[in-house]
Amino acid sequence: DKTNHGAKYIFCEQSANFDMYLTSYLLSETRGKWFSFFKSVVTYAKGGSMFYFAEPVPWQLHRFIACLQGELEFLWLDSSMHFPSLQKADRRTGPAVLFAMKRYSSQDSIVTNTELST
């Protein structure tokens, strides 16, 4: 964590240039040490930025939602909750693919259709 401290801030400052963030197994592989990194990324991200998370089990994603629900809108993309046969095959009881979008704030510039046509 201390080793990557400087890299985290360089990346986070640049993250305002990105529209989409794709992660796979990052939350589960970092074993709960992801909060400060993603808090910084979300803070620097522009309104409307999209986040895609694929995790082997849903519990870290539920924790992620609880930590950042004020800043992001969430949508589960994968769910086995209505399909018991898939729960056994995947060894999980819920979704593990999550989509999120950063909410717009008054500081974000939003391009309108009128601006695009001129």
Side-chain angles (χ1 to χ4, degrees), residues 4 7 9 24 26 30-31 33 37 42 51-53 56 60-61 63 71 79 87 93 95-96 98 105 107 111 115 117:
N4 294 322
Y9 288 102
S24 179
L26 186 63
T30 56
R31 303 194 192 322
K33 296 180 181 178
F37 173 77
V42 170
F51 297 82
Y52 174 90
F53 300 92
Q60 290 275 12
L61 293 171
R63 187 167 172 223
E71 299 171 60
S79 178
Q87 293 173 9
T93 58
L98 180 70
S105 71
Q107 297 173 352
V111 177
E115 292 172 322
S117 63

Side-chain angles (χ1 to χ4, degrees), residues 42-49 51 71-72 100-104:
V42 170
T43 298
Y44 281 101
K46 59 188 169 190
S49 294
F51 297 82
E71 299 171 60
L72 300 170
M101 185 178 85
K102 184 171 180 182
R103 295 177 182 187
Y104 286 97

Side-chain angles (χ1 to χ4, degrees), residues 30-113:
T30 56
R31 303 194 192 322
K33 296 180 181 178
W34 49 262
F35 177 76
S36 63
F37 173 77
F38 273 109
K39 177 67 175 164
S40 297
V41 170
V42 170
T43 298
Y44 281 101
K46 59 188 169 190
S49 294
M50 298 170 283
F51 297 82
Y52 174 90
F53 300 92
E55 294 291 327
V57 292
W59 74 271
Q60 290 275 12
L61 293 171
H62 288 289
R63 187 167 172 223
F64 184 84
I65 291 170
C67 292
L68 294 165
Q69 65 185 352
E71 299 171 60
L72 300 170
E73 298 282 340
F74 297 97
L75 173 68
W76 290 107
L77 297 178
D78 176 30
S79 178
S80 62
M81 75 171 75
H82 300 295
F83 303 98
S85 62
L86 293 178
Q87 293 173 9
K88 293 176 187 174
D90 295 339
R91 294 190 201 148
R92 57 188 168 90
T93 58
V97 178
L98 180 70
F99 175 81
M101 185 178 85
K102 184 171 180 182
R103 295 177 182 187
Y104 286 97
S105 71
S106 58
Q107 297 173 352
D108 293 314
S109 62
I110 301 172
V111 177
T112 63
N113 287 336

